């Protein structure tokens, strides 16, 4: 319901539509010009992680007069979901264990943040496997 309220506002709907159109065009161009290895490297890059998280920074700033924190609440929901996913990783990645995590780029961008802050687990960059 939060998305419906936010997108009912023409200013936010237009801005969101422009963000989605830009991302879609960029992704379409990458898929038509790059092989799978290049796409995997791209999707696992710090630049792509920043780009992905920029959507949530934009969303965080959105709101309406009636619901000034609507965007922040929607963005927090995404982080909440990722914290729950990371809990599963923590559960599996006990000392001495190695785990492979396969997730969408939006999730892995956030998982890397959690791994940088986690004093008991480390990320092994996947690039050498592509």
């Amino acid at each position: 319901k939060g998305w419906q309220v936010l997108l009912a506002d023409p200013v936010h709907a237009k801005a969101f539509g422009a963000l989605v159109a830009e991302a879609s065009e960029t992704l379409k161009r990458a898929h038509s010009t790059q092989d799978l290895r290049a796409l995997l490297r791209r999707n696992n890059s710090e630049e792509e992680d920043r780009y992905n998280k920029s959507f949530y920074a934009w969303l965080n700033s959105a709101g309406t007069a009636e619901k000034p924190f609507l965007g922040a609440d929607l963005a927090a929901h995404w982080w909440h979901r990722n914290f729950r996913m990371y809990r599963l990783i923590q559960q599996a990645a006990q000392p001495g264990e190695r785990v492979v995590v396969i997730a969408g780029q939006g999730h892995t961008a956030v998982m890397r943040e959690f791994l940088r802050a986690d004093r008991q687990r480390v990320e092994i960059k996947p690039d050498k496997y592509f």
Side-chain angles (χ1 to χ4, degrees):
K1 184 166 175 143
W3 283 102
Q4 293 169 340
V5 172
L6 189 63
L7 295 178
D9 174 42
V11 173
H12 290 110
K14 183 177 180 181
F16 186 72
L19 285 172
V20 170
E22 174 193 350
S24 295
E25 184 57 37
T26 300
L27 190 58
K28 180 180 174 183
R29 197 170 33 255
H31 277 255
S32 68
T33 60
Q34 298 176 346
D35 64 14
L36 181 59
R37 177 178 293 179
L39 289 170
L40 288 170
R41 284 192 172 133
R42 175 186 180 275
N43 285 345
N44 283 280
S45 70
E46 287 184 30
E47 180 182 346
E48 195 65 18
D49 285 353
R50 276 192 305 279
Y51 180 72
N52 186 287
K53 289 183 286 186
S54 74
F55 282 85
Y56 299 97
W58 173 85
L59 179 60
N60 192 71
S61 70
T64 64
E66 300 79 30
K67 296 183 180 235
F69 297 107
L70 181 59
D73 291 341
L74 290 169
H77 178 72
W78 175 255
W79 284 81
H80 178 258
R81 180 176 176 191
N82 282 288
F83 270 114
R84 293 175 68 107
M85 290 171 66
Y86 192 65
R87 168 62 180 111
L88 297 173
I89 294 168
Q90 289 174 306
Q91 191 174 9
Q94 294 299 311
E97 294 292 327
R98 292 173 57 132
V99 299
V100 174
V101 177
I102 300 173
Q105 201 281 326
H107 296 293
T108 60
V110 176
M111 296 301 130
R112 286 188 184 91
E113 292 289 331
F114 297 157
L115 280 165
R116 280 191 280 275
D118 191 327
R119 291 185 276 170
Q120 297 179 333
R121 289 157 195 86
V122 295
E123 173 191 15
I124 297 173
K125 302 281 184 189
D127 295 15
K128 66 181 178 182
Y129 300 104
F130 298 144

